[in-house]
Amino acid sequence: MKIAVIGTGYVGLVSAACFAELGHDVIGTDVVSEKIDKASRGIAHIYEPGLEDLLKTNLKKGNLSFSLDLDETIQSSDVLFVCVNTPQKEDGSADMTYVEGVSKRIAENLNDYKVVVEKSTVPVQTSMWIKRAIDLYKKKDKTFDVASNPEFLREGSAVSDFLNPDRIIVGVETEKAKDIMIKIYEKYKDRLLVTNIDTAEIIKHASNSFLALKISYINLISELCEKTDANVELAAKGMGLDERIGSQFLRAGLGYGGSCFPKDIRALSRIGEDLGVNMNLLKEADRINLKRIDVFVEKIKKAIWVLKDKKIAVLGLSFKPETDDIREAPSIKVIKRLLEEGASLSLYDPKAMENVKKVFPEKPSQISYAKSPYEAAEKANVLLIITEWDEFRELDLNKIKEVMANSIIVDGRNIFEPAKVRELGFEYYSFGRK
Ligand code: UDX
Ligand code: UDX
């Protein structure tokens, strides 16, 4: 059985490498030649721990390859995993142009029976549309099945998430497709849940939205903690000890970003409303999340009053640690607000600076990029923590204090112990705790 992965972005490239690692014969394809050139040489165009090792090992073994030729890739494969992106449109719905485009190409190149598997996060009923599109454009005597196999990997731990999954969800409508999917995931058959296609699609969207809800919930509680004498971290710990609640995704702070949560919660709201279901619960979670940026900027103002002409050191730009991804990153929104107020920024991130430079190019006296957290902190009136990279937890705060103009930290991710930082002589602001 030959597997094709169409679209080698964050999800596709990891999936291609991991399917090969599971022993399958895999070919990855993308419209961007640079991504294919790099992947063919074992280089990942994104930063993802462990990915390049897997690419190199499996390219060498000979069961992984990459090609720019979509038609040939489709024709020579039995199972096609669609991993192209589904950007958010202005009304919050997902733009399905790329998925439709790929479906059409699959139809035109359908030479034998194939299973077309949707792996991207897509609105419920997308597979039905893919099926319809392929049916419309294929030759009459050719057969195929569609399936949904949503991906649950998290950026920053994508390879280990893929290779050690909590569950594999497979949505199918025929026994033939079911058998093929079970064969692909043979190794994980104890963790496989087979459903119909609509259910599989809902599981993915509903899981992401639930986790986003959980984060907004703790952020709401964090506001309540700030108005009282409570401590949000201990509150989260106490809540999390209840197994029904669980301790994960209860970290208060700047809120969720990334390519999934913000987009998925809006898309699911949109789908629900289109189907006549009141989705206010999800809309409220989105509103709370957007408000985190205002709350953070207010904290900075409370610390240093007027922002105009102040020097601000910004540590952490990626939407979460261990990735270079800045899609929907809180940093982008914060930076925009600070620039509007006339502040001068010195930015630092271990992996995401090249991506941020494309959005905010270097500009003398307004935006500079530092080589280290210490360089960013030089002469700064305030230091902001936006992403909780381990590197920041291990900072030599005495050294930071020496180089800053004012010893003030506003921590968007609660990475420091308030008492300890204050003992070192810092004024310290964080979320949901005094
Ligand atoms: C994933 C999921 O697939 C998406 O549904 C989810 O909401 C966000 O995360 P991701 O892999 O992160 O997408 O997106 P991206 O890194 O943009 O990868 C998509 C890839 O598809 C890109 O490399 C793009 O070049 C490629 N592509 C896009 C094609 O090969 N053909 C197209 O027609 C469109
Ligand atoms: C998410 C899902 O976890 C994954 O299953 C799905 O396949 C894709 O979407 P990802 O976006 O890569 O993964 O990262 P995740 O670790 O879920 O974090 C998302 C955002 O939530 C980040 O901005 C993170 O900083 C934030 N977050 C997470 C919090 O603010 N608090 C928390 O307690 C946890």
Side-chain angles (χ1 to χ4, degrees), residues 227-270:
K227 305 273 185 223
T228 62
D229 223 2
N231 175 309
V232 74
E233 270 165 8
L234 288 174
K237 191 173 175 188
M239 287 162 62
L241 287 171
D242 183 333
E243 277 180 18
R244 293 170 303 173
I245 297 176
S247 59
Q248 291 190 52
F249 282 69
L250 285 178
R251 276 183 284 115
L254 262 164
Y256 56 79
S259 66
C260 289
F261 288 176
K263 197 178 78 162
D264 289 354
I265 206 162
R266 282 173 212 146
L268 193 57
S269 300
R270 229 359 251 234

Side-chain angles (χ1 to χ4, degrees), residues 5 8 43 109 203 324 334:
V5 174
T8 54
I43 300 165
N109 289 286
I203 288 172
D324 60 352
V334 172

